[in-house]
Amino acid sequence: MEKIWLKHYPAGVPSDIDLDEFASLRDILEQSCRRYAPLPAYSNMGHTLRFADLDALSRDFAAYLQNTLGLTKGARVAIMLPNLLQYPVTLFGVLRAGLTAVNVNPLYTPRELEHQLSDSGAEAIVILENFAHTLAAVRERLPALRHILVTRIGDLLPPLKGLLVNLVVKHVKKMVPAWYIPGTLDLRRALAAGRSLALREVPLGHDDIAFLQYTGGTTGVAKGAILTHGNIVANLQQASAWIKPYIGQTQEVVITALPLYHIFSLTANCLAFLKVGGHNVLITNPRDLPAFVKELSKVRFTAITGVNTLFNALLNTPGFDKLDFSSLKIALGGGMALQRAVAERWQAITGVPLVEAYGLTETSPAVCINPLDIKEFSGSIGLPVPATEISIRDEAGRELGINEVGELCVRGPQVMRGYWNRPEETAQVLSPDGWLRTGDMARIDERGYVYLVDRKKDLILVSGFNVYPNEVEAVAALHPGVLEVAAIGVPDEKSGEAVKLYVVRKDPALTAEALIEHCRRHLTGYKVPKYVEFRAELPKTNVGKILRRALREPS
């Protein structure tokens, strides 16, 4: 497709990027640490790490990983942390050591955690003590996992404050379930030990793997998208080119409430703002909305990212409308569709429009972004970012014309190499000439703006997180009272969508409450069904495949 969108790019945004400016993420990190050394880089719970602190601590951790643990180039290191100062320190240590980061959702159940660690072949993990009981439940079934580094919430806070926080978390709030794993290592001691060790600079280039970023698929089995240093460098170059005309001489301050293990927050916040010398304010528990708003009142923030449900929750929290938004320039939404009602109310209260963007784990993630100087919400996911091609195609792979609806396909330097150890699934979505089939139905208008129409897959989006029906169905089917089951997404005011089960009972006494509780024991919270409807039979094709589409249609 002709790049008609280039004619409508914001002033100052180039059509291409210089991919060769940086050989790896390590180059970007080290340049930022030198250039912005005295400036704040990451803040959390009232404590700040400057770029110089980040440089020193991540160097020490990298040296420890290389020397004490003996990890060699390409080894996978899992990081199972919420938004704490430990996250950027350990992440950048992993990358500087020439290793591959495997982001892990801290809320995973033992079953989910075992799959990801086993599939990735992770040799080490950094885990918050609050979630160590989950790992303890499957530790014996993970022979490749040789090193377990444990940290506590207050470990990178000043000593007295950190000690107090750790005592309160464990003994007052009872937030650390009992666990036992022999041979664990302490992250603070690892950092201290690394100070006296030399860091070897491992050769890194665009083809080396930076992340195995896990996502689901049509099968419902989580799989690792292989994101190389070149993929992430490309997306950071694309993102910084897009925002450069809108940032000034003063330091940008971004509110980081979405979890850093999620690809949106990882790239848009943790990495992109680091590249431009920005200051990330990490929110550990955004679900505590009063505390979140209180934190916002302490900071003159210039940017915030989030999903529709987060923006909606803030708008409905007392005190949010009284905050000072005079410094706010960028409010970026992604992960799930923005709702017009939320966007219009946000702009009315803050004076700043919500800018919608679109991306995928498989594209590192940015594909399209609206111009940051839009005047109001349009319903579009924006224009393709620099050095990105898009094509709208029909089932036969033929390219469609303006305003025709088809599958959105993407090609560019940010597109993943493929899925880890899954060549067949890679071939299903990635063509030999580099086109990624997104599974999303879309159209493009005469100016090059892209509009999502529907999802081709049966993907359910709960608060911006992917839920795959097959996984939920497989867990529900384990209940002895279930004969047949199908999962679909239904509209939900709070989360955008919620999971609904349609069930044919084997045991007539089975209740919705009992089935939901069963699922809760085996699935992360956002995957747990909210609704259950019992039926005498489920609609099927002539070969016996359950028709989820028929369940979604109005009866």
Side-chain angles (χ1 to χ4, degrees), residues 23-78:
S24 68
L25 287 173
R26 180 180 62 199
D27 292 353
I28 292 176
L29 167 69
E30 293 180 348
Q31 181 189 88
S32 289
C33 286
R34 288 192 304 269
R35 182 176 292 174
Y36 308 111
L39 297 180
Y42 295 91
S43 294
N44 179 241
M45 301 178 70
H47 184 59
T48 297
L49 293 181
R50 299 169 303 142
F51 279 87
D53 301 322
L54 179 65
D55 184 24
L57 289 168
S58 63
R59 192 223 71 88
D60 295 345
F61 189 56
Y64 179 85
L65 293 171
Q66 286 182 343
N67 294 279
T68 305
L69 300 192
L71 298 177
T72 58
K73 181 178 178 178
R76 275 78 66 201
V77 178

Short mmCIF file of all heavy atoms in Angstrom, two decimals, residues 23-78:
data_model
loop_
_atom_site.label_atom_id
_atom_site.label_comp_id
_atom_site.label_asym_id
_atom_site.label_seq_id
_atom_site.Cartn_x
_atom_site.Cartn_y
_atom_site.Cartn_z
N ALA A 23 23.54 0.08 18.34
CA ALA A 23 23.68 -1.35 18.05
C ALA A 23 22.81 -2.20 18.96
O ALA A 23 22.44 -3.32 18.60
CB ALA A 23 25.14 -1.78 18.19
N SER A 24 22.49 -1.67 20.15
CA SER A 24 21.74 -2.46 21.12
C SER A 24 21.08 -1.55 22.14
O SER A 24 21.37 -0.34 22.21
CB SER A 24 22.66 -3.44 21.85
OG SER A 24 23.57 -2.72 22.69
N LEU A 25 20.22 -2.13 22.96
CA LEU A 25 19.61 -1.38 24.07
C LEU A 25 20.68 -0.93 25.07
O LEU A 25 20.52 0.11 25.71
CB LEU A 25 18.57 -2.24 24.77
CG LEU A 25 17.26 -2.46 24.02
CD1 LEU A 25 16.39 -3.47 24.77
CD2 LEU A 25 16.52 -1.15 23.87
N ARG A 26 21.73 -1.72 25.21
CA ARG A 26 22.81 -1.34 26.12
C ARG A 26 23.40 0.02 25.72
O ARG A 26 23.68 0.86 26.58
CB ARG A 26 23.90 -2.40 26.11
CG ARG A 26 25.07 -2.09 27.03
CD ARG A 26 26.12 -3.18 26.99
NE ARG A 26 26.70 -3.30 25.65
CZ ARG A 26 27.36 -4.38 25.22
NH1 ARG A 26 27.50 -5.43 26.00
NH2 ARG A 26 27.86 -4.40 24.00
N ASP A 27 23.55 0.26 24.43
CA ASP A 27 24.08 1.54 23.96
C ASP A 27 23.18 2.69 24.36
O ASP A 27 23.65 3.76 24.77
CB ASP A 27 24.24 1.52 22.44
CG ASP A 27 25.32 0.55 21.96
OD1 ASP A 27 26.03 0.01 22.83
OD2 ASP A 27 25.43 0.35 20.75
N ILE A 28 21.86 2.48 24.24
CA ILE A 28 20.90 3.54 24.61
C ILE A 28 20.97 3.81 26.11
O ILE A 28 21.02 4.96 26.55
CB ILE A 28 19.48 3.13 24.18
CG1 ILE A 28 19.38 3.12 22.66
CG2 ILE A 28 18.43 4.08 24.78
CD1 ILE A 28 18.04 2.65 22.12
N LEU A 29 20.97 2.74 26.90
CA LEU A 29 21.03 2.89 28.35
C LEU A 29 22.28 3.64 28.77
O LEU A 29 22.21 4.60 29.55
CB LEU A 29 21.00 1.51 29.02
CG LEU A 29 21.38 1.49 30.50
CD1 LEU A 29 20.32 2.16 31.33
CD2 LEU A 29 21.64 0.06 30.98
N GLU A 30 23.43 3.21 28.27
CA GLU A 30 24.69 3.82 28.71
C GLU A 30 24.80 5.26 28.25
O GLU A 30 25.33 6.11 28.98
CB GLU A 30 25.86 2.97 28.23
CG GLU A 30 25.90 1.60 28.92
CD GLU A 30 27.04 0.72 28.47
OE1 GLU A 30 27.69 1.05 27.46
OE2 GLU A 30 27.28 -0.33 29.12
N GLN A 31 24.30 5.57 27.06
CA GLN A 31 24.31 6.96 26.60
C GLN A 31 23.44 7.83 27.50
O GLN A 31 23.85 8.94 27.89
CB GLN A 31 23.82 7.06 25.16
CG GLN A 31 23.84 8.49 24.62
CD GLN A 31 23.15 8.62 23.28
OE1 GLN A 31 21.95 8.84 23.21
NE2 GLN A 31 23.92 8.51 22.20
N SER A 32 22.24 7.35 27.84
CA SER A 32 21.35 8.14 28.69
C SER A 32 21.94 8.34 30.08
O SER A 32 21.83 9.42 30.67
CB SER A 32 19.98 7.47 28.79
OG SER A 32 19.29 7.57 27.57
N CYS A 33 22.57 7.28 30.62
CA CYS A 33 23.16 7.40 31.96
C CYS A 33 24.30 8.42 31.98
O CYS A 33 24.49 9.13 32.98
CB CYS A 33 23.64 6.03 32.44
SG CYS A 33 22.29 4.92 32.92
N ARG A 34 25.06 8.50 30.90
CA ARG A 34 26.13 9.51 30.83
C ARG A 34 25.54 10.91 30.64
O ARG A 34 25.93 11.86 31.32
CB ARG A 34 27.07 9.19 29.66
CG ARG A 34 27.97 8.00 29.85
CD ARG A 34 29.05 7.95 28.78
NE ARG A 34 28.50 7.95 27.42
CZ ARG A 34 28.21 6.85 26.75
NH1 ARG A 34 28.42 5.66 27.30
NH2 ARG A 34 27.72 6.93 25.51
N ARG A 35 24.60 11.03 29.72
CA ARG A 35 24.08 12.34 29.34
C ARG A 35 23.23 12.97 30.43
O ARG A 35 23.26 14.19 30.63
CB ARG A 35 23.26 12.19 28.05
CG ARG A 35 22.70 13.48 27.50
CD ARG A 35 21.98 13.24 26.19
NE ARG A 35 22.89 12.85 25.12
CZ ARG A 35 22.50 12.48 23.91
NH1 ARG A 35 21.21 12.42 23.61
NH2 ARG A 35 23.40 12.14 22.99
N TYR A 36 22.50 12.14 31.17
CA TYR A 36 21.55 12.69 32.16
C TYR A 36 21.91 12.28 33.59
O TYR A 36 21.04 12.26 34.46
CB TYR A 36 20.13 12.20 31.82
CG TYR A 36 19.72 12.45 30.40
CD1 TYR A 36 19.55 11.39 29.49
CD2 TYR A 36 19.50 13.74 29.92
CE1 TYR A 36 19.18 11.61 28.18
CE2 TYR A 36 19.12 13.97 28.61
CZ TYR A 36 18.97 12.90 27.74
OH TYR A 36 18.59 13.12 26.44
N ALA A 37 23.18 11.99 33.84
CA ALA A 37 23.63 11.40 35.11
C ALA A 37 23.01 12.01 36.37
O ALA A 37 22.55 11.28 37.26
CB ALA A 37 25.15 11.45 35.18
N PRO A 38 22.96 13.36 36.53
CA PRO A 38 22.45 13.91 37.80
C PRO A 38 20.93 13.97 37.90
O PRO A 38 20.40 14.28 38.97
CB PRO A 38 23.03 15.33 37.81
CG PRO A 38 23.18 15.69 36.37
CD PRO A 38 23.48 14.42 35.64
N LEU A 39 20.22 13.67 36.82
CA LEU A 39 18.77 13.83 36.81
C LEU A 39 18.07 12.59 37.36
O LEU A 39 18.58 11.47 37.27
CB LEU A 39 18.27 14.08 35.38
CG LEU A 39 18.76 15.36 34.70
CD1 LEU A 39 18.19 15.46 33.29
CD2 LEU A 39 18.38 16.59 35.52
N PRO A 40 16.87 12.76 37.92
CA PRO A 40 16.10 11.60 38.39
C PRO A 40 15.68 10.72 37.23
O PRO A 40 15.24 11.22 36.18
CB PRO A 40 14.90 12.23 39.10
CG PRO A 40 14.78 13.61 38.54
CD PRO A 40 16.17 14.03 38.19
N ALA A 41 15.79 9.41 37.40
CA ALA A 41 15.40 8.47 36.35
C ALA A 41 14.14 7.70 36.72
O ALA A 41 13.20 7.63 35.94
CB ALA A 41 16.54 7.49 36.08
N TYR A 42 14.12 7.13 37.93
CA TYR A 42 12.96 6.36 38.39
C TYR A 42 12.69 6.69 39.85
O TYR A 42 13.62 6.74 40.66
CB TYR A 42 13.21 4.85 38.26
CG TYR A 42 13.36 4.40 36.82
CD1 TYR A 42 14.61 4.37 36.22
CD2 TYR A 42 12.25 4.04 36.07
CE1 TYR A 42 14.76 3.97 34.90
CE2 TYR A 42 12.39 3.65 34.75
CZ TYR A 42 13.63 3.62 34.16
OH TYR A 42 13.77 3.25 32.85
N SER A 43 11.42 6.92 40.18
CA SER A 43 11.01 7.17 41.56
C SER A 43 9.91 6.20 41.96
O SER A 43 9.09 5.81 41.13
CB SER A 43 10.49 8.61 41.73
OG SER A 43 11.51 9.55 41.53
N ASN A 44 9.93 5.83 43.25
CA ASN A 44 8.91 4.92 43.77
C ASN A 44 8.89 5.03 45.29
O ASN A 44 9.94 5.05 45.93
CB ASN A 44 9.22 3.49 43.34
CG ASN A 44 8.21 2.47 43.85
OD1 ASN A 44 8.56 1.56 44.59
ND2 ASN A 44 6.96 2.62 43.46
N MET A 45 7.70 5.14 45.83
CA MET A 45 7.51 5.17 47.28
C MET A 45 8.36 6.26 47.94
O MET A 45 8.92 6.07 49.02
CB MET A 45 7.81 3.80 47.89
CG MET A 45 6.92 2.69 47.33
SD MET A 45 7.27 1.05 47.98
CE MET A 45 6.70 1.24 49.67
N GLY A 46 8.47 7.41 47.28
CA GLY A 46 9.16 8.55 47.85
C GLY A 46 10.66 8.54 47.71
O GLY A 46 11.34 9.42 48.25
N HIS A 47 11.22 7.57 46.99
CA HIS A 47 12.67 7.51 46.81
C HIS A 47 12.99 7.54 45.32
O HIS A 47 12.25 6.98 44.50
CB HIS A 47 13.24 6.24 47.44
CG HIS A 47 14.73 6.16 47.37
ND1 HIS A 47 15.57 7.12 47.92
CD2 HIS A 47 15.56 5.23 46.80
CE1 HIS A 47 16.82 6.79 47.71
NE2 HIS A 47 16.85 5.65 47.03
N THR A 48 14.09 8.18 44.97
CA THR A 48 14.45 8.37 43.56
C THR A 48 15.83 7.82 43.26
O THR A 48 16.78 8.00 44.04
CB THR A 48 14.42 9.87 43.21
OG1 THR A 48 13.08 10.37 43.37
CG2 THR A 48 14.87 10.12 41.77
N LEU A 49 15.94 7.15 42.13
CA LEU A 49 17.24 6.76 41.57
C LEU A 49 17.58 7.72 40.44
O LEU A 49 16.79 7.89 39.50
CB LEU A 49 17.19 5.34 41.01
CG LEU A 49 17.00 4.18 41.98
CD1 LEU A 49 17.01 2.84 41.22
CD2 LEU A 49 18.08 4.17 43.05
N ARG A 50 18.73 8.35 40.52
CA ARG A 50 19.22 9.18 39.42
C ARG A 50 19.76 8.28 38.31
O ARG A 50 19.99 7.10 38.51
CB ARG A 50 20.32 10.11 39.91
CG ARG A 50 19.92 11.10 41.01
CD ARG A 50 21.14 11.77 41.59
NE ARG A 50 22.09 10.79 42.10
CZ ARG A 50 23.40 10.87 42.01
NH1 ARG A 50 23.96 11.92 41.42
NH2 ARG A 50 24.19 9.94 42.51
N PHE A 51 19.97 8.85 37.15
CA PHE A 51 20.56 8.08 36.06
C PHE A 51 21.92 7.51 36.47
O PHE A 51 22.28 6.39 36.11
CB PHE A 51 20.68 8.93 34.80
CG PHE A 51 19.40 9.03 34.01
CD1 PHE A 51 18.46 10.02 34.30
CD2 PHE A 51 19.12 8.13 33.00
CE1 PHE A 51 17.28 10.12 33.59
CE2 PHE A 51 17.94 8.22 32.27
CZ PHE A 51 17.01 9.21 32.57
N ALA A 52 22.68 8.29 37.26
CA ALA A 52 23.98 7.80 37.73
C ALA A 52 23.81 6.59 38.65
O ALA A 52 24.60 5.64 38.60
CB ALA A 52 24.73 8.92 38.45
N ASP A 53 22.78 6.60 39.50
CA ASP A 53 22.51 5.47 40.39
C ASP A 53 22.10 4.24 39.58
O ASP A 53 22.54 3.11 39.86
CB ASP A 53 21.38 5.81 41.36
CG ASP A 53 21.70 7.02 42.23
OD1 ASP A 53 22.86 7.17 42.64
OD2 ASP A 53 20.77 7.83 42.49
N LEU A 54 21.26 4.46 38.59
CA LEU A 54 20.82 3.37 37.72
C LEU A 54 22.01 2.75 37.01
O LEU A 54 22.10 1.51 36.89
CB LEU A 54 19.80 3.89 36.71
CG LEU A 54 19.26 2.88 35.71
CD1 LEU A 54 18.44 1.81 36.42
CD2 LEU A 54 18.41 3.59 34.66
N ASP A 55 22.91 3.59 36.55
CA ASP A 55 24.11 3.12 35.87
C ASP A 55 24.93 2.21 36.80
O ASP A 55 25.32 1.09 36.44
CB ASP A 55 24.94 4.33 35.43
CG ASP A 55 26.18 3.95 34.62
OD1 ASP A 55 26.17 2.86 34.01
OD2 ASP A 55 27.13 4.74 34.59
N ALA A 56 25.17 2.68 38.01
CA ALA A 56 26.02 1.93 38.94
C ALA A 56 25.36 0.62 39.38
O ALA A 56 26.00 -0.45 39.38
CB ALA A 56 26.33 2.79 40.17
N LEU A 57 24.09 0.69 39.77
CA LEU A 57 23.41 -0.51 40.27
C LEU A 57 23.22 -1.57 39.19
O LEU A 57 23.41 -2.76 39.44
CB LEU A 57 22.06 -0.12 40.88
CG LEU A 57 22.11 0.64 42.20
CD1 LEU A 57 20.74 1.21 42.55
CD2 LEU A 57 22.61 -0.28 43.32
N SER A 58 22.85 -1.15 37.99
CA SER A 58 22.66 -2.13 36.91
C SER A 58 23.99 -2.73 36.49
O SER A 58 24.07 -3.91 36.14
CB SER A 58 21.93 -1.49 35.72
OG SER A 58 22.69 -0.45 35.13
N ARG A 59 25.06 -1.93 36.54
CA ARG A 59 26.40 -2.45 36.24
C ARG A 59 26.79 -3.52 37.25
O ARG A 59 27.31 -4.58 36.89
CB ARG A 59 27.42 -1.32 36.27
CG ARG A 59 28.80 -1.68 35.69
CD ARG A 59 29.94 -1.15 36.55
NE ARG A 59 30.05 -1.88 37.80
CZ ARG A 59 30.76 -2.99 37.96
NH1 ARG A 59 31.43 -3.52 36.96
NH2 ARG A 59 30.80 -3.61 39.13
N ASP A 60 26.54 -3.23 38.53
CA ASP A 60 26.88 -4.18 39.59
C ASP A 60 26.11 -5.49 39.42
O ASP A 60 26.67 -6.58 39.59
CB ASP A 60 26.58 -3.58 40.96
CG ASP A 60 27.45 -2.38 41.28
OD1 ASP A 60 28.47 -2.17 40.59
OD2 ASP A 60 27.09 -1.63 42.22
N PHE A 61 24.84 -5.37 39.07
CA PHE A 61 24.03 -6.59 38.90
C PHE A 61 24.50 -7.38 37.69
O PHE A 61 24.58 -8.62 37.73
CB PHE A 61 22.55 -6.23 38.78
CG PHE A 61 21.64 -7.43 38.81
CD1 PHE A 61 21.68 -8.32 39.87
CD2 PHE A 61 20.76 -7.69 37.77
CE1 PHE A 61 20.85 -9.44 39.91
CE2 PHE A 61 19.93 -8.80 37.79
CZ PHE A 61 19.97 -9.68 38.87
N ALA A 62 24.81 -6.68 36.61
CA ALA A 62 25.33 -7.35 35.42
C ALA A 62 26.62 -8.11 35.73
O ALA A 62 26.81 -9.26 35.29
CB ALA A 62 25.56 -6.34 34.30
N ALA A 63 27.51 -7.49 36.48
CA ALA A 63 28.78 -8.14 36.84
C ALA A 63 28.53 -9.37 37.70
O ALA A 63 29.21 -10.41 37.54
CB ALA A 63 29.68 -7.15 37.58
N TYR A 64 27.57 -9.30 38.61
CA TYR A 64 27.22 -10.45 39.44
C TYR A 64 26.68 -11.60 38.60
O TYR A 64 27.05 -12.76 38.80
CB TYR A 64 26.19 -10.02 40.49
CG TYR A 64 25.74 -11.13 41.40
CD1 TYR A 64 26.47 -11.46 42.54
CD2 TYR A 64 24.57 -11.84 41.13
CE1 TYR A 64 26.05 -12.49 43.38
CE2 TYR A 64 24.14 -12.87 41.96
CZ TYR A 64 24.89 -13.19 43.08
OH TYR A 64 24.47 -14.20 43.91
N LEU A 65 25.80 -11.27 37.65
CA LEU A 65 25.23 -12.31 36.79
C LEU A 65 26.32 -13.01 35.98
O LEU A 65 26.30 -14.24 35.82
CB LEU A 65 24.20 -11.69 35.84
CG LEU A 65 22.92 -11.13 36.47
CD1 LEU A 65 22.11 -10.36 35.44
CD2 LEU A 65 22.09 -12.25 37.08
N GLN A 66 27.27 -12.23 35.49
CA GLN A 66 28.34 -12.82 34.68
C GLN A 66 29.33 -13.63 35.51
O GLN A 66 29.67 -14.77 35.15
CB GLN A 66 29.11 -11.71 33.96
CG GLN A 66 28.39 -11.08 32.79
CD GLN A 66 29.27 -10.03 32.11
OE1 GLN A 66 30.25 -9.56 32.68
NE2 GLN A 66 28.91 -9.66 30.90
N ASN A 67 29.78 -13.06 36.61
CA ASN A 67 30.88 -13.66 37.36
C ASN A 67 30.42 -14.66 38.41
O ASN A 67 30.88 -15.81 38.41
CB ASN A 67 31.70 -12.55 38.04
CG ASN A 67 32.42 -11.67 37.04
OD1 ASN A 67 33.46 -12.01 36.53
ND2 ASN A 67 31.84 -10.51 36.75
N THR A 68 29.54 -14.26 39.29
CA THR A 68 29.13 -15.14 40.38
C THR A 68 28.20 -16.24 39.90
O THR A 68 28.36 -17.42 40.28
CB THR A 68 28.46 -14.33 41.51
OG1 THR A 68 29.35 -13.28 41.92
CG2 THR A 68 28.15 -15.22 42.70
N LEU A 69 27.23 -15.89 39.07
CA LEU A 69 26.28 -16.90 38.59
C LEU A 69 26.78 -17.60 37.33
O LEU A 69 26.26 -18.65 36.96
CB LEU A 69 24.91 -16.27 38.33
CG LEU A 69 24.21 -15.62 39.53
CD1 LEU A 69 22.76 -15.30 39.19
CD2 LEU A 69 24.28 -16.51 40.77
N GLY A 70 27.76 -17.01 36.66
CA GLY A 70 28.33 -17.65 35.49
C GLY A 70 27.41 -17.72 34.29
O GLY A 70 27.56 -18.61 33.43
N LEU A 71 26.47 -16.79 34.17
CA LEU A 71 25.55 -16.79 33.04
C LEU A 71 26.25 -16.23 31.81
O LEU A 71 26.93 -15.20 31.88
CB LEU A 71 24.30 -15.97 33.37
CG LEU A 71 23.45 -16.51 34.54
CD1 LEU A 71 22.29 -15.58 34.83
CD2 LEU A 71 22.95 -17.92 34.24
N THR A 72 26.04 -16.89 30.69
CA THR A 72 26.72 -16.49 29.45
C THR A 72 25.72 -15.90 28.46
O THR A 72 24.51 -16.04 28.62
CB THR A 72 27.43 -17.70 28.81
OG1 THR A 72 26.47 -18.73 28.57
CG2 THR A 72 28.52 -18.22 29.74
N LYS A 73 26.25 -15.25 27.45
CA LYS A 73 25.44 -14.52 26.48
C LYS A 73 24.23 -15.32 26.01
O LYS A 73 24.35 -16.48 25.62
CB LYS A 73 26.30 -14.13 25.28
CG LYS A 73 25.54 -13.33 24.21
CD LYS A 73 26.44 -12.92 23.05
CE LYS A 73 25.65 -12.17 22.00
NZ LYS A 73 26.49 -11.72 20.88
N GLY A 74 23.06 -14.67 26.06
CA GLY A 74 21.84 -15.29 25.58
C GLY A 74 21.05 -16.06 26.61
O GLY A 74 19.91 -16.45 26.36
N ALA A 75 21.65 -16.34 27.79
CA ALA A 75 20.92 -17.06 28.83
C ALA A 75 19.69 -16.26 29.23
O ALA A 75 19.71 -15.04 29.29
CB ALA A 75 21.82 -17.29 30.04
N ARG A 76 18.59 -16.98 29.50
CA ARG A 76 17.34 -16.31 29.85
C ARG A 76 17.24 -16.08 31.37
O ARG A 76 17.48 -17.01 32.15
CB ARG A 76 16.13 -17.13 29.38
CG ARG A 76 15.74 -16.86 27.93
CD ARG A 76 16.63 -17.57 26.96
NE ARG A 76 16.50 -19.03 27.06
CZ ARG A 76 17.41 -19.89 26.63
NH1 ARG A 76 18.55 -19.46 26.09
NH2 ARG A 76 17.23 -21.20 26.76
N VAL A 77 16.87 -14.85 31.72
CA VAL A 77 16.67 -14.48 33.12
C VAL A 77 15.25 -13.94 33.27
O VAL A 77 14.89 -12.96 32.62
CB VAL A 77 17.68 -13.42 33.59
CG1 VAL A 77 17.41 -13.02 35.03
CG2 VAL A 77 19.11 -13.93 33.43
N ALA A 78 14.45 -14.60 34.09
CA ALA A 78 13.07 -14.16 34.32
C ALA A 78 13.03 -13.06 35.37
O ALA A 78 13.81 -13.08 36.33
CB ALA A 78 12.21 -15.35 34.76
#
